[in-house]
Amino acid sequence: MSPQPAPSFTPRVIGQTEKALNAILARELDGSGLSEPGWVLLKLAEAAGGRLGRQELVEQAQTAAKFDRQRTEAEIESLLWAHLLAAEGSEVVLTDDARGLQDRVSSNVDEITVRLWGDLSDADLATAGRLLATILGRANEELGYSI
């Protein structure tokens, strides 16, 4: 039996990988009441130090996750209602509940990540990272986003 050729790098492979990774995240979020878009918003807030302007969060979600303004505003309201974000003037702030949820989910995702690509070489990971960053940059240009 001859060896199978390596899969080609195609939009299908990228899409299937994204769907599989999203399914893993959905499994980890199951029971938390948090959606994937809500998770993204919390991660963006966390990356900003846990506090940022509400409009800045909306803009970051539009750029990073391609969420539309209306969807993002609705997700922020859900996070405020669930006490995962708190409003302080024009800013939103991560709550202790949000930080606890993030710690739990991130810990689980980190363990899974090690199983998925922890045994791949640094060189392969660096190549994959550069390749995906190049494609992302070009896709953002195509969509009119400047990052």
Side-chain angles (χ1 to χ4, degrees):
M1 178 181 236
S2 62
Q4 294 289 324
S8 295
F9 188 82
T10 63
R12 180 179 178 182
V13 170
I14 294 170
Q16 288 177 328
T17 302
E18 180 200 17
K19 296 296 183 196
L21 294 173
N22 282 344
I24 290 169
L25 177 60
R27 183 184 69 193
E28 295 306 313
L29 293 175
D30 190 39
S32 71
L34 191 60
S35 65
E36 183 261 343
W39 174 255
V40 170
L41 290 172
L42 292 181
K43 293 303 281 185
L44 290 170
E46 178 186 46
R51 171 186 295 272
L52 75 161
R54 183 178 176 137
Q55 289 312 305
E56 184 180 352
L57 179 56
V58 170
E59 290 167 11
Q60 286 185 19
Q62 288 177 298
T63 302
K66 313 306 181 258
F67 295 161
D68 68 39
R69 180 170 293 280
Q70 185 176 8
R71 177 182 186 184
T72 303
E73 291 286 356
E75 287 293 333
I76 291 171
E77 287 302 318
S78 293
L79 294 170
L80 290 166
W81 185 84
H83 305 289
L84 296 172
L85 288 178
E88 293 184 7
S90 64
E91 293 185 322
V92 290
V93 181
L94 285 176
T95 65
D96 289 342
D97 288 346
R99 291 182 189 280
L101 176 61
Q102 285 181 306
D103 288 348
R104 181 184 59 78
V105 173
S106 292
S107 177
N108 292 345
V109 169
D110 289 348
E111 289 177 20
I112 294 166
T113 298
V114 168
R115 290 195 300 272
L116 296 178
W117 63 76
D119 63 338
L120 300 177
S121 74
D122 289 344
D124 284 346
L125 293 172
T127 299
R130 283 190 308 275
L131 180 66
L132 290 172
T134 298
I135 293 168
L136 175 59
R138 291 174 182 173
N140 281 329
E141 285 178 20
E142 183 73 23
L143 292 168
Y145 290 97
S146 60
I147 297 177

